[in-house]
Amino acid sequence: MAMLVFVSNEGRIIQQKIIKRITEEEENIAISIFNEYQSKGIILSEFANNKWKITNEIDVIGLNFEVNEIFIKKHLKSYTAKEFVDILKYFICFCLGHYSIQTLKVILANIKKAIVETSCFLVIPKQHEVLEGTGVSDFIDIFPYSNEELIIESIDYTHKKFRRRALAEYESYFLFDEILNDFWKDASDDEKNLYYPIYLWWNISMIIPLRVTEFTVIPKICFRKEKNKWMLKVRRTDLKGRAGKVHKYSLDEDYKIYEYAVNDTIISMIQDYKDRATKFNEAEIDSLFSDDMFVTMLNNTTKTNLERMGHLKVSHMTLLMECFFKYIIGRKYGYKVLSKEDVLKVDINGELKRLNKFEIVRILLGDSRHIAMQNMLLNGCNILMAKEITGHESPDMIYHYAGNMRNLIKCRAYSLYKMSKPEKVEMLGIIDTNTSVLLFGEEDPHLEVDGGLCYSKLFVLKHDVTDCFAVAGKCEKCNYFKSEKDSKLIRKEQEKTVEETIERLKIWLNSTRINKNKDEFRVLASKLASQVENLQNGYVRDLEEGGKI
């Protein structure tokens, strides 16, 4: 293995060089990279400092290179603590341009943790997970005194591991939506001023799968009308998951403006927010969200003294989310807030935990993007958004979104099932599906067909085969068919059908062909929507009959 780094070429960091080990030549390359970024005002410190500050115009992060000198001296006979810290600094310089500044901070933290767990990269750690941290395997590979066995071991742990979301997590997305909308109906002006970023984030990112940072840098002038249709302007980055892309650490260079059609409701929300924000200072950058209104409201509410930073940041959104769970969901609505680790526990039957009444799993800000992606794929998504997925996500990530969909479909079905009960529950706003679930009783007109009973009124009463044509004559895929097979077996077959169509759709999205067959996409999208509806309705019927899903 080797590390590919960006080096300066006539004032532009565009040339690439392979780094296999840190020698004197590599040290000089690292220093030149440092000087380049320092001259551009991105690094705000001197190389000799053990604490660096780096900015991307949106945030400023700190990198702390201090290590335990006694620990280093004990395990590394060939290095002083200063020499070892310099190697850490060289490595971070090699990472510049490849990663966001937030990821640089994570990389340094991962390496410092690995230093302890591997005794300065001389032994294989007891907890192998420490080798999975971003940047760790690259550092091990180029560090001159790494144990050869450790290098081999780290290679086996560099692949990405994704934990699929549990069913209780999906239940919590529905609950969060219900609570947020119920709260908003009667919220005071001060409460709305405080939590408006959360309200807008939830409603916008459920339609457009934005990262949290992308949401916080929506432009000040962000919507316009075109032929009776509202267009929302957002900033998106294509740096994530794209090899060879260089982070410039600049708002204008790292983000591009995209426009998407949205409904009147979203525009009304944004305009209401803008009207409220006129009483407060604007953001110092071209962002819709100033932190002045949020900080003023939070300081008044919690009696804190939070410092203003000029514009809304991800850290602000995280703090707002914590306040909403603590003061609104926890205290006002009386819910017990669980961690994601809690819902991974299984019962004696090996089943994942389901939520009890007044329980909710803490939602993370990045979750909405995943749910929006899944909903887009489940509902076929449109050509434009499909293009955006292709431009921003790797095939592995799209498969990750698809792999979670079974639980999302189950929760959509569970919500429909609850709606059929006397005590109705408000539907989640992100669901875009036919809510007419087909439930059959013995008294309903039906005919015996191969493998089960047909409840199509067109076929039974009028001998009209229109419903049969809709599923190409395959009864087991028809909403009007009740099979003699065990329902679990039927659901497994339906789940497999959905997964196969998603796989084909994923292949289409990631095709390298210049001119993709749009008809193929439309056929796949239509087929997927129909299959998902059949599976969803099947889940509802299982629940009606007292079964589990």
Side-chain angles (χ1 to χ4, degrees):
M1 292 176 63
M3 188 174 183
L4 197 65
V5 304
F6 297 118
V7 297
S8 177
N9 180 26
E10 298 180 356
R12 294 180 298 163
I13 304 174
I14 58 169
Q15 214 172 39
Q16 299 183 29
K17 183 175 178 61
I18 293 176
I19 303 293
K20 294 183 178 180
R21 274 287 190 269
I22 296 180
T23 64
E24 184 177 352
E25 180 184 354
E26 281 69 37
E27 292 174 10
N28 292 332
I29 292 171
I31 294 294
S32 69
I33 293 173
F34 178 91
N35 291 337
E36 186 76 32
Y37 281 96
Q38 187 188 52
S39 68
K40 292 177 180 294
I42 294 168
I43 298 179
L44 308 176
S45 310
E46 297 299 325
F47 185 87
N49 297 348
N50 277 349
K51 293 181 180 180
W52 290 1
K53 283 187 178 181
I54 301 180
T55 181
N56 62 357
E57 296 186 347
I58 302 171
D59 288 308
V60 177
I61 61 104
L63 297 177
N64 186 350
F65 291 96
E66 293 176 347
V67 296
N68 185 324
E69 294 188 21
I70 296 175
F71 186 84
I72 299 297
K73 187 176 181 179
K74 176 183 176 181
H75 294 284
L76 287 179
K77 309 301 182 183
S78 302
Y79 285 105
T80 65
K82 180 184 180 305
E83 289 170 334
F84 184 76
V85 167
D86 282 345
I87 290 178
L88 279 179
K89 292 177 180 178
Y90 299 146
F91 180 78
I92 292 298
C93 288
F94 296 148
C95 292
L96 287 167
H98 286 281
Y99 300 98
S100 68
I101 62 172
Q102 290 80 8
T103 303
L104 293 177
K105 189 169 184 176
V106 171
I107 288 172
L108 183 57
N110 289 341
I111 293 173
K112 291 176 76 171
K113 181 179 180 181
I115 289 171
V116 177
E117 297 293 329
T118 62
S119 300
C120 296
F121 307 106
L122 297 177
V123 299
I124 296 173
K126 293 180 180 179
Q127 300 296 327
H128 286 167
E129 290 76 11
V130 74
L131 300 177
E132 294 179 19
T134 303
V136 173
S137 62
D138 283 333
F139 186 83
I140 290 173
D141 197 41
I142 68 173
F143 183 59
Y145 287 91
S146 289
N147 184 317
E148 288 296 327
E149 291 182 8
L150 180 62
I151 294 175
I152 296 172
E153 189 77 12
S154 70
I155 293 172
D156 294 333
Y157 283 86
T158 54
H159 63 281
K160 293 182 179 177
K161 293 185 178 180
F162 298 112
R163 180 181 68 79
R164 294 185 175 182
R165 282 169 165 73
L167 195 59
E169 290 183 63
Y170 283 108
E171 293 181 87
S172 297
Y173 302 135
F174 284 65
L175 274 173
F176 182 84
D177 182 80
E178 292 170 13
I179 293 170
L180 178 60
N181 286 325
D182 185 74
F183 162 73
W184 206 255
K185 291 175 185 174
D186 301 314
S188 66
D189 283 339
D190 284 351
E191 286 176 323
K192 287 186 175 182
N193 288 348
L194 175 59
Y195 292 114
Y196 228 128
I198 295 295
Y199 188 61
L200 280 173
W201 157 77
W202 182 253
N203 282 281
I204 292 174
S205 65
M206 279 296 164
I207 299 170
I208 306 169
L210 295 175
R211 296 180 175 87
V212 187
T213 304
E214 292 171 339
F215 171 79
T216 63
V217 293
I218 291 175
K220 290 178 182 177
I221 301 175
C222 61
F223 58 80
R224 65 184 181 86
K225 203 161 192 178
E226 179 183 274
K227 297 180 181 179
N228 297 320
K229 183 169 61 177
W230 286 108
M231 304 298 295
L232 177 65
K233 292 183 179 181
V234 298
R235 283 190 174 93
R236 301 191 69 176
T237 176
D238 63 351
L239 292 170
K240 295 283 187 176
R242 301 291 296 276
K245 291 285 185 176
V246 184
H247 287 258
K248 299 296 183 63
Y249 307 114
S250 163
L251 183 61
D252 290 336
E253 293 186 271
D254 286 346
Y255 293 85
K256 294 179 182 178
I257 299 290
Y258 290 82
E259 287 190 327
Y260 300 101
V262 295
N263 57 33
D264 293 348
T265 304
I266 294 295
I267 299 302
S268 296
M269 291 178 189
I270 295 174
Q271 188 57 57
D272 183 42
Y273 170 81
K274 294 181 75 163
D275 292 342
R276 293 169 181 272
T278 55
K279 301 175 184 177
F280 301 88
N281 294 329
E282 286 191 350
E284 293 179 357
I285 62 173
D286 181 24
S287 169
L288 172 66
F289 303 105
S290 165
D291 68 339
D292 190 36
M293 182 166 79
F294 149 68
V295 171
T296 300
M297 293 298 107
L298 189 66
N299 286 344
N300 291 343
T301 302
T302 60
K303 308 302 180 185
T304 56
N305 190 27
L306 191 66
E307 184 180 353
R308 288 164 176 77
M309 298 183 180
H311 61 276
L312 193 71
K313 299 186 178 184
V314 174
S315 58
H316 290 146
M317 292 291 292
T318 302
L319 182 56
L320 269 178
M321 199 67 157
E322 289 176 0
C323 290
F324 190 78
F325 267 96
K326 179 178 180 180
Y327 297 111
I328 306 303
I329 294 178
R331 292 186 184 177
K332 184 170 183 174
Y333 283 85
Y335 276 80
K336 179 182 178 182
V337 180
L338 307 176
S339 70
K340 295 202 174 189
E341 286 68 29
D342 291 331
V343 300
L344 288 176
K345 298 173 184 176
V346 297
D347 61 20
I348 57 175
N349 298 315
E351 296 288 333
L352 284 172
K353 175 181 172 59
R354 292 292 296 260
L355 294 179
N356 296 319
K357 191 174 183 180
F358 292 109
E359 284 186 340
I360 188 171
V361 179
R362 184 180 297 278
I363 292 172
L364 303 179
L365 290 165
D367 291 350
S368 67
R369 172 175 164 78
H370 291 259
I371 303 304
M373 282 285 203
Q374 289 170 332
N375 267 283
M376 282 165 46
L377 289 175
L378 286 178
N379 292 302
C381 70
N382 58 62
I383 294 286
L384 176 62
M385 197 60 81
K387 178 179 179 293
E388 294 309 312
I389 296 176
T390 307
H392 289 76
E393 303 297 334
S394 70
D396 288 339
M397 279 305 296
I398 293 176
Y399 178 77
H400 174 50
Y401 297 131
N404 284 279
M405 286 183 184
R406 188 184 308 170
N407 280 339
L408 181 58
I409 298 170
K410 285 183 178 180
C411 276
R412 285 164 46 145
Y414 190 63
S415 180
L416 290 172
Y417 168 69
K418 290 198 295 181
M419 284 183 69
S420 69
K421 296 301 176 184
E423 183 181 348
K424 289 193 175 182
V425 179
E426 187 173 337
M427 279 290 288
L428 181 64
I430 63 173
I431 298 177
D432 178 19
T433 186
N434 185 353
T435 58
S436 58
V437 183
L438 303 174
L439 302 173
F440 311 117
E442 293 297 326
E443 70 283 358
D444 292 320
H446 59 273
L447 286 174
E448 287 191 18
V449 293
D450 291 343
L453 301 175
C454 175
Y455 285 84
S456 166
K457 290 182 179 179
L458 286 176
F459 182 72
V460 173
L461 301 179
K462 299 180 181 181
H463 303 292
D464 185 335
V465 293
T466 300
D467 290 332
C468 303
F469 281 131
V471 291
K474 297 180 179 180
C475 294
E476 68 276 6
K477 295 185 178 180
C478 180
N479 274 335
Y480 301 98
F481 177 71
K482 190 171 184 179
S483 176
E484 293 175 348
K485 294 181 182 178
D486 179 77
S487 62
K488 287 187 177 179
L489 181 60
I490 298 170
R491 290 315 151 248
K492 286 187 179 296
E493 291 175 354
Q494 289 178 313
E495 289 169 355
K496 183 180 178 181
T497 300
V498 168
E499 288 171 355
E500 287 174 349
T501 304
I502 290 173
E503 180 68 19
R504 289 181 62 189
L505 187 60
K506 184 197 77 172
I507 292 170
W508 188 94
L509 290 172
N510 289 280
S511 170
T512 56
R513 288 176 294 172
I514 297 175
N515 296 311
K516 296 181 180 180
N517 186 337
K518 293 182 180 179
D519 288 337
E520 178 186 354
F521 173 84
R522 293 188 181 97
V523 169
L524 286 173
S526 177
K527 182 182 292 186
L528 179 60
S530 175
Q531 291 169 348
V532 167
E533 186 176 332
N534 286 340
L535 175 58
Q536 180 175 274
N537 289 343
Y539 283 144
V540 174
R541 283 196 288 271
D542 292 344
L543 290 167
E544 285 285 346
E545 294 169 2
K548 292 183 178 180
I549 61 172

